[in-house]
Amino acid sequence: MDHIDYDIDLTSEELELKAAAHKFAEDVLRPAGIQIDRMTPEEATASDSLLFDVLKQATELGFNRMGAPEEMGGTAISARAATLVNEELAWGSMGLAGAIGLSSTHANIAMALGNEEIIEEFARPFFEDNSGSIIGCWAVTEPDYGSDTLGVMQPEMVVETKGQLIARKDGDEYILNGQKSAWVSNGPIATHAMLNVHLDPGTKLDHGGICLMPLNLPGVSRGKPLDKHGVRAMTQGEIFFDDVRIPKRYMLLDQTAFAPYMNIHLAMFNAGVGTLVTGLARAAYDAAYDYAKNRVQGGKPIIEHQSVRARLFRMFTLLQTCR
Ligand SMILES: Cc1cc2nc3c(=O)[nH]c(=O)nc-3n(C[C@H](O)[C@H](O)[C@H](O)COP(=O)(O)OP(=O)(O)OC[C@H]3O[C@@H](n4cnc5c(N)ncnc54)[C@H](O)[C@@H]3O)c2cc1C
């Protein structure tokens, strides 16, 4: 335990998990994250990319299936333990922690909303997989509807539009047409998606549905992976749907439960993102703290200058508040 880890009520199991996650973050995620950060998006998403090796290692260690039932290969750890692990992973690399965390999206949603058949089709194969080759994503944002797609539970934010990814019922199937924006994390590499759609003939954004689907169905295609300034190890890119047919059982919920469920999902999702950015902030704090101890100016390490100490302490208090 160092000065930043003053939680005194962690169990020995939680401390062990945290230490294992920290080791993986330090030995694997930090160096891989730096390497992938310097790649082009095409190199990062190529089939021989280091990214897939990292996802495989994370899968072998169970970091992508925390909370899943043990009989399905999950580690069934508590939400608090999972939060501790995620903070450590993001301390190593926020981008890779995001890619690892999001890879289970479709399996977790199958567990939360699916019947036995959906669980067997989407959750079990993911949780039992040790190869890291099954990768999920949450495709929600559309080019013209960012905040609007997420704000559907607030009546004042429900925009009048059909949206940009329409699902039309056709007998026992839905036919999907349209696209998701370049912000879909894991979009270029995902094999499966949790997908937000607009149900035809809706005219407002709260007339939505949530479905699961494999992304190798006819009519699915991807855009160029996004070139961006930061979090480059979490690759992002558009997904296009051209007359894609999915069985109606893949539509896990329709407009009756859409807005309330989005509320729940966003609460969980945002808590997860909060954990990741806390890990990132801790990495920034650690770097600043080490630098301040080693950089000598005015005849002493700068950490001994009052103004530097005050700024570091401000970082420390903000960080602990996040935790
Ligand atoms: C790192 C990262 C990861 C992401 N991962 C995913 C992912 O996995 N899947 C996915 O589908 N999407 C993802 N996104 C996209 C994300 O969901 C959108 O960026 C988000 O919904 C905001 O949409 P926007 O970027 O289009 O901003 P806009 O909606 O265009 O908003 C622009 C600005 O206007 C403000 N604004 C918007 N509406 C209002 C309002 N009614 N009142 C006041 N202010 C308003 C916003 O706060 C913001 O400051 C990701 C984005 C980032 C940055």
Side-chain angles (χ1 to χ4, degrees):
M1 182 187 291
D2 64 20
H3 70 284
I4 210 156
D5 279 325
Y6 65 74
D7 300 294
I8 50 171
D9 64 341
L10 298 185
T11 64
S12 55
E13 194 196 11
E14 285 170 336
L15 287 169
E16 264 172 43
L17 269 166
K18 188 168 146 58
H22 188 80
K23 183 168 169 30
F24 180 62
E26 190 161 37
D27 296 350
V28 177
L29 297 186
R30 181 69 64 86
I34 291 168
Q35 247 181 288
I36 297 170
D37 197 67
R38 292 178 182 150
M39 294 179 186
T40 64
E42 287 74 17
E43 286 165 346
T45 53
S47 57
D48 60 351
S49 168
L50 175 61
L51 175 58
F52 294 105
D53 184 48
V54 171
L55 289 172
K56 182 175 189 313
Q57 290 189 57
T59 305
E60 285 164 356
L61 292 167
F63 290 137
N64 64 347
R65 43 193 153 163
M66 295 180 288
E70 277 171 295
E71 68 271 18
M72 281 194 198
T75 40
I77 63 175
S78 69
R80 184 167 81 164
T83 301
L84 291 167
V85 167
N86 283 330
E87 183 188 313
E88 295 308 319
L89 300 185
W91 174 89
S93 164
M94 157 97 182
L96 289 173
I100 293 165
L102 282 162
S103 68
S104 61
T105 306
H106 65 293
N108 291 334
I109 296 308
M111 293 300 289
L113 299 177
N115 58 20
E116 208 44 47
E117 197 180 357
I118 289 290
I119 289 172
E120 288 303 314
E121 190 167 347
F122 289 95
R124 185 180 291 281
F126 176 83
F127 291 134
E128 291 185 350
D129 171 60
N130 269 323
S131 70
S133 60
I134 305 178
I135 300 167
C137 68
W138 177 25
V140 51
T141 310
E142 295 170 359
D144 295 341
Y145 305 106
S147 305
D148 289 343
T149 55
L150 299 179
V152 288
M153 57 282 184
Q154 291 161 278
E156 68 277 13
M157 276 195 70
V158 175
V159 175
E160 290 220 25
T161 173
K162 285 180 181 302
Q164 289 171 293
L165 176 57
I166 315 288
R168 181 169 60 80
K169 200 149 181 219
D170 183 36
D172 284 343
E173 295 180 319
Y174 280 91
I175 306 175
L176 310 182
N177 275 295
Q179 78 164 98
K180 290 293 171 183
S181 81
W183 290 111
V184 179
S185 306
N186 282 352
I189 60 169
T191 56
H192 292 77
M194 165 191 171
L195 185 67
N196 282 46
V197 297
H198 308 288
L199 294 169
D200 189 52
T203 54
K204 289 184 171 186
L205 279 188
D206 62 354
H207 197 88
I210 291 178
C211 61
L212 291 179
M213 62 180 294
L215 288 171
N216 60 358
L217 295 180
V220 177
S221 59
R222 325 278 172 128
K224 250 167 83 82
L226 186 66
D227 199 5
K228 51 186 180 160
H229 288 293
V231 202
R232 290 170 64 90
M234 184 177 74
T235 59
Q236 293 179 294
E238 294 156 309
I239 308 180
F240 298 93
F241 302 83
D242 182 12
D243 277 335
V244 177
R245 287 182 172 269
I246 58 168
K248 76 173 185 214
R249 69 174 190 282
Y250 286 1
M251 192 66 68
L252 300 186
L253 55 82
D254 64 13
Q255 71 277 5
T256 50
F258 178 69
Y261 181 73
M262 279 295 286
N263 219 356
I264 296 168
H265 188 76
L266 271 181
M268 291 188 302
F269 190 82
N270 289 343
V273 172
T275 304
L276 298 190
V277 294
T278 302
L280 175 64
R282 207 180 97 211
Y285 171 80
D286 283 354
Y289 181 77
D290 285 347
Y291 182 77
K293 277 198 305 188
N294 291 313
R295 172 73 175 163
V296 175
Q297 287 290 281
K300 51 187 171 183
I302 60 171
I303 198 165
E304 291 175 25
H305 294 302
Q306 193 183 34
S307 69
V308 174
R309 281 178 100 88
R311 277 176 283 161
L312 278 172
F313 190 67
R314 169 99 179 120
M315 281 177 88
F316 176 78
T317 51
L318 287 172
L319 181 53
Q320 294 299 356
T321 307
C322 288
R323 298 175 98 201

